[in-house]
Amino acid sequence: MNKVFTGLGRRLRLGVIGGGPGSFIGEVHRSAARLDDNFEIVAGTLSSVPNRSIEAGCSIGLSHDRAYGTAEEMFAGEAARADGMEVVAIMTPNDSHFGYCRRALERRLDIVCDKPLTTNLADALELVRLVREAGVVFCNTFNYSAFPMVRQARAMVRNGEIGDVRMAHVEYVQGHNAALTAGEHGVSPSNWHFSKERTGPSLILADIGSHAHHLVRFVTGLDVTAVAAQVCATVPGRHSDDYGGILFRLSNGAPGTMWITQAAAGAVHGLRFRVVGSSTSLEWFEEEPNRLHVSHLDAPASVLERGGLGLSRAAERAQRTGIGHPEGYVEAFAVLYADVAEVIVARHLGQPVDPFALDFPNVEDGAKTMKFIEACLESAHSRQWIDCSLA
Ligand SMILES: NC(=O)c1ccc[n+]([C@@H]2O[C@H](COP(=O)([O-])OP(=O)(O)OC[C@H]3O[C@@H](n4cnc5c(N)ncnc54)[C@H](O)[C@@H]3O)[C@@H](O)[C@H]2O)c1
């Protein structure tokens, strides 16, 4: 489906913070932003080390005067230009998200910020307040919600096609931390994930529990209202947590379970959900993302294919190629950028926006995840069920 929004007769001007050489997610953001030609990357601060930042910016094709040494210089330099950046994408370690978002909000820039939103709930709530005040577009990149077949699952739940949501399960089972990582106690810039100051109070909840939390909310259309969690390290000698086993309650009272770990020997990426309704159950696995498994109480099971028959408009507008041509992580990430572009362009033109474009995760979603993280840690400590609703 068309995702190119040409109404302005030009691309939106994007600045990027983070994503220097060797970063995991930087290249993904830049590719996703450019996939549909809605954005032009005009400025960047790619590293926290000024000379490396300038060098890295030039290496991705930025002009020398817009490959900045620091984000402060970029905000000031771009504000002084008639053709300055109008959207900023933040893909730095977690502890810098809040400060950069606040700077961007002072300049009323639209924002794409990676997850987790912040490292604590108080900062997240402050961002909610500031985003509402500024009236800008804010996308917190919980990118798994943008896979076409995840959007299909959400549409089926929303349209009543599975009956009442009775239970849900999400697992995110990775293996890259199954053994103690060299230097993980030393915390060098390249392994900041193991530093509580940089990643937040929980590595496992910030890295992947955050995605699992958003995904179950997105698909069911319900909030997670309470948790009983075990959060701990399973690898001997590890200081950071690498495991979360979480019972949760959804806002309709339905129970759920979540298993998240990065310490499962031999596991690959392992993101999966099952949502069970009173008449029908849905199952999706990110390593086979173009299919949604549908099981019925009183009819044969089926598999819905991305690009195939019987899909909702929400799924169709998120897909790009025909049936059988695999679409994956980068394409789904690009759906978020396309949604953001559609909303920004509609705002510029004073036109109504397709409600489906507003399905991207926003600042409120980010704050709810921070509340969930804090509630899980409190529950793990107190061994009690903890409320995690956020109005
Ligand atoms: N949505 C996803 O699927 C996903 C996947 C991975 C990471 N992430 C998130 O993306 C963020 C970055 O994670 P990563 O794994 O890519 O980290 P990384 O360490 O691989 O890369 C971080 C990059 O940011 C640069 N950087 C660090 N501090 C900076 C600063 N102050 N100003 C400018 N540049 C700075 C570093 O030089 C590096 O190039 C994290 O918040 C993480 O949670 C999201």
Side-chain angles (χ1 to χ4, degrees):
M1 192 151 172
N2 174 44
K3 293 178 189 59
V4 189
F5 304 102
T6 53
L8 296 180
R10 63 173 179 81
R11 298 188 185 100
L12 296 167
R13 298 184 297 271
L14 180 69
V16 295
I17 310 182
S23 83
F24 178 81
I25 206 69
E27 185 72 41
V28 176
H29 271 272
R30 293 197 301 272
S31 305
R34 289 186 288 218
L35 194 63
D36 296 301
D37 256 350
N38 292 305
F39 293 91
E40 177 186 6
I41 301 177
V42 295
T45 310
L46 274 74
S47 165
S48 55
V49 181
N51 63 331
R52 281 195 221 149
S53 181
I54 294 167
E55 199 178 315
C58 291
S59 79
I60 63 160
L62 297 176
S63 64
H64 197 269
D65 60 331
R66 300 179 90 177
Y68 293 91
T70 68
E72 282 306 320
E73 288 164 5
M74 178 164 99
F75 282 120
E78 291 298 305
R81 303 176 65 108
D83 63 349
M85 68 176 178
E86 52 199 330
V87 185
V88 66
I90 298 163
M91 55 206 79
T92 51
N94 309 350
D95 61 326
S96 53
H97 295 177
F98 176 67
Y100 289 145
C101 286
R102 205 170 41 178
R103 284 278 174 279
L105 287 162
E106 283 164 10
R107 301 195 182 273
R108 291 190 182 272
L109 298 171
D110 295 310
I111 299 172
V112 176
C113 177
D114 221 313
K115 44 57 58 179
L117 181 59
T118 57
T119 53
N120 62 73
L121 178 62
D123 285 353
L125 293 175
E126 176 65 358
L127 285 186
V128 170
R129 189 184 71 76
L130 292 172
V131 170
R132 285 180 184 165
E133 201 173 272
V136 300
V137 172
F138 191 108
C139 173
N140 197 200
T141 48
F142 289 116
N143 43 297
Y144 301 106
S145 63
F147 278 90
M149 300 316 283
V150 173
R151 294 206 167 173
Q152 172 67 21
R154 173 180 166 90
M156 291 175 76
V157 175
R158 188 158 47 186
N159 296 341
E161 291 175 46
I162 72 162
D164 298 329
V165 173
R166 291 266 171 90
M167 56 189 101
H169 172 74
V170 199
E171 61 186 54
Y172 203 160
V173 178
Q174 300 181 317
H176 60 274
N177 285 338
L180 216 54
T181 313
E184 74 179 53
H185 295 154
V187 191
S188 70
S190 61
N191 64 2
W192 60 267
H193 293 265
F194 290 99
S195 154
K196 276 191 166 42
E197 285 69 40
R198 306 213 69 194
T199 217
S202 166
L203 165 55
I204 198 69
L205 292 167
D207 257 24
I208 58 175
S210 54
H211 279 298
H213 172 255
H214 180 262
L215 196 55
V216 76
R217 287 185 50 244
F218 183 81
V219 173
T220 63
L222 300 165
D223 274 327
V224 175
T225 56
V227 291
Q230 183 179 13
V231 182
C232 59
T234 60
V235 173
R238 174 161 286 153
H239 295 170
S240 302
D241 49 31
D242 59 25
Y243 172 90
I246 300 160
L247 301 178
F248 60 85
R249 200 157 44 238
L250 292 169
S251 44
N252 71 344
T257 53
M258 194 180 284
W259 172 28
I260 49 170
T261 184
Q262 294 176 326
V268 187
H269 197 247
L271 175 62
R272 180 193 304 274
F273 68 73
R274 297 182 74 167
V275 174
V276 177
S278 48
S279 65
T280 299
S281 299
L282 304 174
E283 181 172 2
W284 179 82
F285 184 40
E286 198 224 347
E287 291 170 32
E288 196 193 311
N290 293 277
R291 296 203 164 115
L292 180 67
H293 295 261
V294 186
S295 318
H296 304 284
L297 182 64
D298 51 11
S302 58
V303 178
L304 292 176
E305 296 269 359
R306 187 203 49 72
L309 297 173
L311 299 189
S312 64
R313 202 170 82 76
E316 283 177 349
R317 70 185 299 288
Q319 66 196 9
R320 294 157 193 283
T321 48
I323 187 168
H325 297 292
E327 289 181 16
Y329 186 72
V330 175
E331 287 90 344
F333 220 108
V335 169
L336 293 182
Y337 272 94
D339 286 342
V340 165
E342 184 170 353
V343 175
I344 294 173
V345 169
R347 188 192 61 205
H348 277 298
L349 297 175
Q351 291 176 348
V353 73
D354 182 340
F356 284 117
L358 295 167
D359 265 350
F360 64 82
N362 59 28
V363 70
E364 283 87 2
D365 292 311
K368 285 181 180 178
T369 294
M370 295 315 299
K371 174 78 176 178
F372 166 78
I373 290 175
E374 293 198 357
C376 286
L377 292 176
E378 191 182 334
S379 170
H381 181 70
S382 66
R383 301 185 178 200
Q384 304 287 321
W385 276 88
I386 300 295
D387 184 282
C388 68
S389 42
L390 194 64

